[in-house]
Amino acid sequence: MYLGPSHQRPKPRLIGRLLGLVLVLSLISVLIGLVTYFFSTKNELEAELVSANIVAPVTIKFDEQAIPHIEASNQEDAWHALGLLHATERPWQMEFNRRLAAGKLSEILGKETVEVDQFIRTLGIRRAAEKQYENYPIEYKRHLQAYVDGVNEGLTRLGWALPPEFLILGVKPGHWSPADSVAWSLMMALDLGGNWHKEFLRLELSKTLSTEKIWQVLPPYPGENPPTSVNFAKMYQEMGLFKEKGNKKEASRGVSDQFSHTLSDGLMSYLPGGIEGVGSNNWVVSGNKSVSGSPLLANDPHLGLTSPAAWYIAHIQAPKLNVIGATLPGIPGVVIGHNTQVAWGFTNTDPDVQDLFIEAIDPDSAGRYKTPQGYENFILREETIAIKGHEPLRFLTRETRHGPVISDAYLRAQSLIDTQRFAISMRWTALDAANQTLVAGFQMNQAQNLEEFKNALKNYYAPMQNVVMADKDGQIAYRAAGIAPKRTKGQGLFGVAPALGWDKQSDWGPYFSQEALPKEINPKTWVATANHRVHAANDPHPLTSDWHLPYRHQRIENLLGAQDQHDMSSMKAIQTDSLSLAALDLLPLVQSADSNHKYAQEAKSILASFDGKMSLDSSGAVIFNAWAHHLTRLLFADKLGSSFAIEYGKRDFRAGLHHIMQMHQSGKAEAMAAAGFWCDKVSTAEIETCEIIINEALTLALNDLSKRLSGSPSSWKWGELHTAVSEHRPFSKVSLLKKKFEVVRPTPGDAFTVNVGFMNLGHPENPFIVTKGASLRVIYDLSNLNHSQFIYQTGQSGWVNHKNYSNYANAWSKQEYLSLSMSPDKIHHTSIIKPDPTAANENKRRLEKQSKELKR
């Protein structure tokens, strides 16, 4: 074919040059865009800015630890500045949390979070928050409104150059309201009050196991008998509660089939609660036991590790207010901290404040349910969930006299019970209209002595906390603060499993009075709590029967008693201690185990000298924990079935493992036979003894570790497997983004050491990663509060490209601390917020109008 003269043909060299030019111009455009973005981001406060929402200048000084020190001439301006800081440094975290608490994640994340939203809407978190806020005293409504105004001003100030999460998802920050702050406090209560999950698990296990067997896998507190004699498994089975095998028919009010998916993928990954490892340690040492003669107070709350962290450290100063410590973005106030006179710390009391109720549906009318007085109508509410990329989901929520019907939004419940005849509702103290926990927070921040602090705790509602406190006068005290229903051991089900909703005896009675709750005033030595049983074993009215195992508390008590005088150094040593008393209880079993694995002799030699310390360089910690993991799976995976598959990782079943191994070693025929049931594998014709299973677990552990780690057992190090992963929401679920947004560091310990490292044992890739741990470590020195120290696992900034996104991570991993001083030696930079003179009159009128509205 003739192509014409050569001069008419495009020259390859010219085409290449043109393409190269286009590529260069594209790269320049991208570079200009990135440069423009980075110069436009407002991830820090400017040296000077103007606000129409304050009445006097506010100074914010940032010290070398990136801690802001707010100085304001009135409290409203101080809270406004804190809101501005939270919105500036943690905008995506606040946006995600606001949507989570409101049940609006699906608007930006699509169908994957529909179950989360539907469950939150069914619980009515946002609706309860609005009712609670209506009852707040005017003074504290003003404080909250000032904070909220600061948040919204901060979000608006960010402009177009938002954090990457907003840009990637195509989202803009939403409006923050006072009810959003109250709602987030309820979500924290949900995170720390997961009793209903354990009730449901006992219900689920009742379909295939006897009550006796359930008490073996989920045993009562060590040394105690079950708090109820009710044979609940038999009761559920005989009443026909469970869905018959092969019956796939669902009630019409369940989660829409269009959006149904695995619960663990959606609901449980974002919804707080139901996960072990959430707790805390705290203790306060009297001046009689300190080198300085003044009290020392230590606290390390154990929460889910996230990027950015749950906490943001701030110092807030205004008339009648001078407080420093850990704040929660979204909530005004210092949660854990000190003012000029009083220091305090929290641990979760973990009381039973959530009860499930089996509701019988009227066979003649699906809109009615059975009560002691006959059948009553469900309260119905219509909800609409906007879903990115899909049509909205419209559904009805139901409510009984006990509370919301959670089985309508909980797929596990729908697959378990006959939803044509029954429903499951929940009562939870935190949803009460009388809940004014944030009021207590404001008052605690202002308390000038221990008595004022105790009075502030009278307004504290949920989640119930063990509060240790100390003041400059040398007083120390402990008090359980919050609301819980009063139960009597031995009566009814005692809240361990779902009660019959039509049985009047199952209804809650009065709550505990404040004075009836556990407390201790000015002990001569110390007070320590670690989510253990906080009252006497013979107390007829326990707060719960589901306390955490007491190993951490025992270790803290041992270390506090090991020396006559304590100082900051000994407080740090206790807080970062990695000796596992739980491991010492099981260690003789694995030390005597036999295996034909090629590394068995080397592993047994290491275990023979293993002292139970879960240090980063320990080989013994690696082998022991892998053995315990595989032994747990051998005991429970087959017999608990899907319940184990779903729950393992959220809970470790170690209480059951310890209980069954104690029965095995008891020497009593009946107990040993009971242990033998768990040791015998269903999948084989042979009868396996516990000795066989203990040996097999060691072989499986060595096989597993040989694949995970290189070299021989002596080269294996606990820090290679036991890494703390601070999850980013939602980008930890996106493989291309997770490494950029997560903060990962090695950490010592296990679930039972003072320095907690609770593992996600159900993780498909590494069952030893830590997802719950010390979200904050803080130690207060009452001889000079400016000598106090802290650390947490990420950094102050929520902007992934900021230097402060993970500026604390290395120190946290190495168990080091940073200064927490109201009077820092050096100031890194200062911001001044000035009132807008052009808006002075308008601002005055706005505040007056706002005051009138708040009074109404």
Side-chain angles (χ1 to χ4, degrees):
M1 178 182 294
Y2 176 67
L3 297 176
S6 60
H7 68 272
Q8 293 180 354
R9 301 174 189 167
K11 295 183 179 179
R13 188 175 297 177
L14 179 60
I15 293 174
R17 289 175 179 174
L18 288 173
L19 290 175
L21 180 61
V22 170
L23 179 61
V24 170
L25 291 174
S26 298
L27 290 173
I28 291 173
S29 297
V30 170
L31 183 61
I32 291 172
L34 289 173
V35 170
T36 303
Y37 169 75
F38 284 116
F39 275 99
S40 300
T41 54
K42 296 182 178 179
N43 51 22
E44 294 180 353
L45 294 183
E46 302 98 319
E48 186 174 304
L49 58 155
V50 176
S51 171
N53 293 306
I54 60 173
V55 297
V58 176
T59 300
I60 305 176
K61 299 176 181 178
F62 294 84
D63 65 23
E64 289 189 313
Q65 320 299 350
I67 298 172
H69 299 259
I70 300 168
E71 300 172 8
S73 60
N74 63 80
Q75 289 194 25
E76 276 72 27
D77 284 356
W79 296 125
H80 177 275
L82 181 64
L84 183 67
L85 281 166
H86 281 168
T88 300
E89 302 237 39
R90 303 287 185 87
W92 174 252
Q93 181 182 37
M94 293 187 69
E95 177 68 15
F96 187 95
N97 291 346
R98 180 186 66 81
R99 287 183 173 276
L100 176 59
K104 293 185 176 182
L105 282 177
S106 300
E107 290 183 8
I108 62 172
L109 298 181
K111 62 185 179 66
E112 285 76 14
T113 52
V114 168
E115 287 177 56
V116 182
D117 288 344
Q118 187 164 7
F119 193 88
I120 292 296
R121 300 281 190 96
T122 299
L123 272 187
I125 295 287
R126 189 60 162 67
R127 187 168 60 252
E130 289 170 354
K131 290 181 179 179
Q132 292 169 9
Y133 176 68
E134 288 175 5
N135 296 327
Y136 273 37
I138 295 171
E139 176 185 357
Y140 302 109
K141 282 186 174 180
R142 289 197 188 103
H143 290 346
L144 255 174
Q145 188 62 54
Y147 171 81
V148 164
D149 288 343
V151 170
N152 288 319
E153 182 177 324
L155 294 174
T156 300
R157 175 185 158 275
L158 295 178
W160 71 271
L162 296 166
E165 295 94 332
F166 288 95
L167 301 179
I168 293 170
L169 293 170
V171 179
K172 291 184 179 180
H175 181 79
W176 196 273
S177 75
D180 290 317
S181 292
V182 179
W184 190 242
S185 75
L186 296 182
M187 294 300 286
M188 293 300 297
L190 187 62
D191 191 28
L192 296 172
N195 171 265
W196 78 266
H197 294 270
K198 207 161 190 177
E199 284 190 41
F200 183 84
L201 179 56
R202 290 189 178 107
L203 170 67
E204 193 173 54
L205 295 177
S206 295
K207 187 173 183 178
T208 55
L209 294 176
S210 67
T211 301
E212 180 185 18
K213 292 289 191 294
I214 294 170
W215 281 120
Q216 290 167 5
V217 69
L218 299 172
Y221 196 70
E224 293 190 4
N225 295 317
T228 176
S229 60
V230 175
N231 189 343
F232 52 83
K234 182 181 179 182
M235 178 181 73
Y236 297 142
Q237 292 165 8
E238 290 182 346
M239 65 188 282
L241 174 63
F242 300 116
K243 190 185 296 293
E244 293 181 10
K245 203 168 186 180
N247 180 9
K248 300 293 185 181
K249 188 175 180 181
E250 295 286 356
S252 60
R253 297 185 189 276
V255 178
S256 170
D257 288 341
Q258 181 184 359
F259 303 110
S260 294
H261 49 86
T262 306
L263 213 86
S264 58
D265 289 340
L267 183 60
M268 290 308 174
S269 59
Y270 288 151
L271 189 68
I275 301 175
E276 291 179 347
V278 175
S280 305
N281 305 314
N282 68 10
W283 61 90
V284 59
V285 175
S286 77
N288 298 326
K289 290 282 290 182
S290 77
V291 173
S292 69
S294 294
L296 293 161
L297 191 151
N299 191 193
D300 54 298
H302 310 151
L303 300 175
L305 301 178
T306 58
S307 300
W311 306 105
Y312 178 82
I313 307 296
H315 175 203
I316 308 155
Q317 185 174 358
K320 298 183 180 179
L321 178 70
N322 192 1
V323 62
I324 189 171
T327 70
L328 288 168
I331 296 176
V334 169
V335 179
I336 295 170
H338 73 79
N339 55 33
T340 57
Q341 300 297 319
V342 182
W344 63 92
F346 286 171
T347 68
N348 197 27
T349 313
D350 213 11
D352 186 352
V353 294
Q354 298 169 333
D355 270 357
L356 298 183
F357 292 86
I358 307 297
E359 309 287 7
I361 298 172
D362 186 346
D364 297 324
S365 174
R368 291 158 59 83
Y369 68 99
K370 190 176 181 180
T371 76
Q373 292 76 37
Y375 289 99
E376 294 182 7
N377 291 327
F378 287 103
I379 297 172
L380 303 178
R381 292 186 179 86
E382 186 175 6
E383 295 281 351
T384 301
I385 297 174
I387 306 168
K388 185 177 182 179
H390 295 271
E391 291 297 312
L393 173 65
R394 294 178 176 84
F395 63 98
L396 290 177
T397 66
R398 296 187 290 179
E399 187 176 317
T400 72
R401 65 196 186 96
H402 299 115
V405 176
I406 65 167
S407 55
D408 288 348
Y410 193 43
L411 290 181
R412 263 173 89 180
Q414 292 171 24
S415 64
L416 178 69
I417 67 170
D418 183 349
T419 53
Q420 299 294 314
R421 298 175 56 211
F422 299 101
I424 300 175
S425 66
M426 182 171 78
R427 183 165 182 188
W428 177 30
T429 57
L431 297 178
D432 293 352
N435 185 349
Q436 294 195 1
T437 296
L438 298 191
V439 170
F442 287 124
Q443 294 172 341
M444 288 158 52
N445 284 190
Q446 293 178 308
Q448 292 304 299
N449 52 57
L450 230 52
E451 286 308 308
E452 288 186 13
F453 191 87
K454 292 175 192 174
N455 285 332
L457 291 176
K458 293 178 180 178
N459 281 316
Y460 190 88
Y461 212 91
M464 180 177 278
Q465 296 287 288
N466 295 316
V467 188
V468 295
M469 59 199 90
D471 69 11
K472 293 282 287 182
D473 294 333
Q475 297 188 86
I476 67 171
Y478 155 73
R479 176 159 302 204
I483 297 297
K486 188 175 183 179
R487 298 179 173 87
T488 301
K489 187 184 289 188
Q491 291 187 6
L493 280 164
F494 195 75
V496 301
L500 304 183
W502 56 91
D503 183 356
K504 190 173 179 61
Q505 292 185 346
S506 300
D507 289 350
W508 282 8
Y511 291 163
F512 280 96
S513 68
Q514 294 284 337
E515 291 307 310
L517 293 172
K519 59 182 179 294
E520 196 167 350
I521 301 171
N522 285 323
K524 291 183 179 180
T525 53
W526 64 76
V527 184
T529 78
N531 318 119
H532 67 297
R533 185 183 62 208
V534 292
H535 48 58
N538 62 355
D539 192 317
H541 305 291
L543 287 165
T544 184
S545 62
D546 289 323
W547 307 102
H548 291 218
L549 291 173
Y551 292 113
R552 280 185 288 116
H553 180 253
Q554 291 170 359
R555 180 62 176 163
I556 293 167
E557 292 268 313
N558 291 345
L559 292 171
L560 286 172
Q563 59 191 80
D564 292 332
Q565 301 289 305
H566 287 280
D567 56 15
M568 290 291 285
S569 178
S570 65
M571 293 293 99
K572 291 178 185 178
I574 297 172
Q575 207 168 54
T576 58
D577 183 76
S578 63
L579 175 67
S580 175
L581 296 181
L584 295 182
D585 275 359
L586 294 176
L587 191 56
L589 293 172
V590 67
Q591 287 174 332
S592 62
D594 290 321
S595 170
N596 58 6
H597 194 278
K598 65 178 182 178
Y599 287 143
Q601 291 307 310
E602 185 178 350
K604 285 177 67 67
S605 176
I606 292 169
L607 288 168
S609 59
F610 179 50
D611 57 4
K613 290 183 179 178
M614 304 293 173
S615 53
L616 292 176
D617 61 353
S618 171
S619 301
V622 175
I623 301 166
F624 172 84
N625 281 287
W627 168 81
H629 166 57
H630 284 283
L631 181 59
T632 303
R633 293 189 63 85
L634 288 170
L635 290 177
F636 300 128
D638 287 343
K639 293 184 175 66
L640 303 188
S642 61
S643 295
F644 183 83
I646 294 171
E647 292 286 326
Y648 193 49
K650 292 182 291 180
R651 61 184 75 251
D652 59 15
F653 290 92
R654 281 289 287 273
L657 173 62
H658 281 254
H659 185 71
I660 290 166
M661 289 298 102
Q662 286 169 3
M663 291 195 298
H664 163 61
Q665 295 175 292
S666 67
K668 299 177 181 178
E670 186 177 353
M672 293 173 70
F677 165 83
W678 296 101
C679 292
D680 182 30
K681 293 196 291 186
V682 178
S683 57
T684 66
E686 295 80 15
I687 297 177
E688 287 84 8
T689 65
C690 288
E691 286 82 1
I692 291 174
I693 293 299
I694 290 168
N695 294 342
E696 184 177 345
L698 179 58
T699 300
L700 289 172
L702 294 175
N703 284 334
D704 184 7
L705 294 171
S706 299
K707 296 174 185 176
R708 294 182 185 279
L709 300 170
S710 60
S712 64
S714 60
S715 67
W716 297 343
K717 306 301 178 189
W718 187 223
E720 294 181 51
L721 292 175
H722 199 249
T723 55
V725 178
S726 293
E727 177 198 29
H728 181 277
R729 297 181 174 182
F731 291 157
S732 281
K733 297 186 179 300
V734 182
S735 57
L736 293 176
L737 297 174
K738 65 180 298 180
K739 289 186 178 180
K740 175 66 176 177
F741 286 87
E742 288 180 343
V743 176
V744 180
R745 294 292 187 279
T747 185
D750 68 5
F752 308 99
T753 52
V754 180
N755 186 4
V756 161
F758 187 86
M759 294 164 276
N760 180 5
L761 293 164
H763 194 279
E765 296 175 8
N766 178 10
F768 309 109
I769 65 167
V770 175
T771 52
K772 310 289 181 297
S775 64
L776 171 73
R777 299 186 189 108
V778 65
I779 303 171
Y780 303 118
D781 181 352
L782 273 294
S783 69
N784 186 341
L785 283 166
N786 282 331
H787 291 166
S788 301
Q789 297 186 32
F790 85 101
I791 196 65
Y792 63 82
Q793 89 285 0
T794 58
Q796 287 280 79
S797 179
W799 294 70
V800 68
N801 291 316
H802 196 282
K803 62 181 180 180
N804 292 334
Y805 187 72
S806 58
N807 58 317
Y808 300 156
N810 289 337
W812 179 86
S813 178
K814 297 174 183 177
Q815 294 88 59
E816 297 171 350
Y817 290 73
L818 300 173
S819 173
L820 182 66
S821 173
M822 286 183 166
S823 303
D825 293 331
K826 294 181 180 179
I827 298 299
H828 185 269
H829 66 282
T830 300
S831 294
I832 299 175
I833 310 173
K834 295 182 178 180
D836 185 350
T838 63
N841 292 332
E842 181 182 341
N843 191 38
K844 183 178 179 181
R845 287 193 297 270
R846 181 184 61 81
L847 292 173
E848 289 174 351
K849 180 181 178 182
Q850 188 180 93
S851 181
K852 291 177 182 178
E853 290 174 349
L854 291 173
K855 287 179 180 179
R856 277 203 303 275

